Amino acid sequence: MNCPNCKTANRDGAKRCRQCGTALPAAQAPQAPAPMYPPQPQAPVQPPYPQQPQAPYQPQQAPYQPAPQAQPPQLTPPAQAGGTKRLPWKNIGLGCLLLLAGFIVGISSILIAQAINPPSATPTAVATSVSGGATPGAASAPTAMPTPARPDKGGKAPTFTLKDTANADKELASMINGKLAVLVFWTSSLGDDQIASLKKFVDDGRGIVIGVNSDESLAKVNKFIGDKGLQKFTLLLDGEGKVKDEYKVTETPTYILIGKDGVITERLGAGTTRADLDKKLGELK
């Protein structure tokens, strides 16, 4: 707003001029511009179509009507020419004739087949009686193979041939040849006490020790020989386990004590202590 006295511009709403102090007239509020078009009265809104009252819903349900059941067809016997019915006994007679004809055809086919290819004669088995005679017509029962007994005390030690650690063939009978022998089925877990007892038996010149290993490699056997100093023993390799099976060995170590005549004098298992082994070796003759 400009001062009417000094024409100095002052801020809007100021009461006196900031330059000369003259009282400034009060500012008038701006008037709104007149509308360009005069307002028109608005007509009330009418719905596009008149509302009709709705009647309450009444469900319509037809009464239940069961479905009609189909009637089975009525079978009627076929009629003969002239309108008369066939008698039942004629049907039965015709069926019997057909069965008889089929039976005759079947028997004839079997007889013809046997005439063309006669069956081979089966020899009659003859059973031998307890007294040594034969009983005609009796079938002989199959004879089961006896299971070999386990080599044990009082029996002959079965001979065998195996490779030693130098790949040389060694036969049990040739190695014994009138000497006392201890056949040991062993592994590298053989105890030091038992090894000491066997070493004493060999060092005293009483006999030989033959070891059979079925479970370990040649390299492991050679290392065990070097570690335990078993160079005086004859150690054989039974890779396929045939000798172990022949002697029915189920645990290691197993000791087979053999006399000079090749007869087994004692058989000892894995629970044998050094005292028991020394005692049995001392009794071996």
Side-chain angles (χ1 to χ4, degrees):
M1 175 183 294
N2 296 330
C3 178
N5 184 24
C6 63
K7 307 300 182 183
T8 301
N10 296 280
R11 62 181 178 83
D12 293 339
K15 295 181 177 182
R16 290 183 178 275
C17 178
R18 59 185 180 87
Q19 181 68 26
C20 62
T22 303
L24 297 175
Q28 296 180 358
Q31 296 181 357
M36 184 176 296
Y37 302 100
Q40 299 293 331
Q42 294 183 357
V45 178
Q46 298 294 333
Y49 53 87
Q51 297 289 334
Q52 297 295 334
Q54 295 183 357
Y57 172 74
Q58 296 294 334
Q60 299 296 329
Q61 183 175 4
Y64 171 74
Q65 296 294 336
Q69 297 183 356
Q71 297 296 329
Q74 300 294 330
L75 300 178
T76 58
Q80 295 182 352
T84 60
K85 297 182 179 179
R86 182 179 296 175
L87 298 178
W89 64 269
K90 291 186 177 181
N91 294 335
I92 296 174
L94 181 60
C96 292
L97 288 176
L98 292 175
L99 289 176
L100 181 60
F103 177 75
I104 294 173
V105 172
I107 294 296
S108 301
S109 301
I110 294 174
L111 294 176
I112 293 173
Q114 289 182 351
I116 296 174
N117 297 318
S120 59
T122 303
T124 303
V126 178
T128 305
S129 62
V130 178
S131 59
T135 303
S140 59
T143 304
M145 296 297 294
T147 302
R150 185 184 79 164
D152 213 332
K153 182 177 180 180
K156 194 78 172 179
T159 189
F160 57 83
T161 301
L162 289 175
K163 298 281 188 182
D164 63 3
T165 55
N167 201 31
D169 291 333
K170 297 292 182 179
E171 184 188 14
L172 178 65
S174 301
M175 288 186 289
I176 293 177
N177 195 21
K179 296 187 289 290
L180 299 177
V182 181
L183 179 62
V184 185
F185 292 89
W186 67 283
T187 62
S188 56
S189 61
L190 185 63
D192 292 337
D193 291 342
Q194 287 75 13
I195 292 176
S197 182
L198 296 173
K199 278 185 176 182
K200 185 177 184 303
F201 178 76
V202 175
D203 293 340
D204 291 345
R206 300 199 53 232
I208 60 174
V209 173
I210 304 169
V212 177
N213 192 308
S214 305
D215 304 319
E216 296 173 336
S217 63
L218 176 61
K220 192 169 184 178
V221 170
N222 283 331
K223 183 178 184 304
F224 187 76
I225 292 173
D227 294 343
K228 302 298 181 179
L230 306 180
Q231 287 77 10
K232 293 184 180 181
F233 293 2
T234 301
L235 299 180
L236 309 177
L237 300 176
D238 182 26
E240 297 181 358
K242 292 182 178 180
V243 177
K244 182 179 179 180
D245 294 340
E246 184 178 8
Y247 275 81
K248 303 292 188 295
V249 175
T250 58
E251 57 182 356
T252 54
T254 295
Y255 308 90
I256 309 293
L257 279 57
I258 305 173
K260 295 179 180 180
D261 54 357
V263 176
I264 299 174
T265 62
E266 197 65 56
R267 182 174 179 133
L268 305 174
T272 305
T273 62
R274 178 175 181 179
D276 294 336
L277 185 58
D278 287 339
K279 180 181 178 182
K280 295 299 181 181
L281 291 177
E283 297 173 352
L284 181 59
K285 296 180 182 180

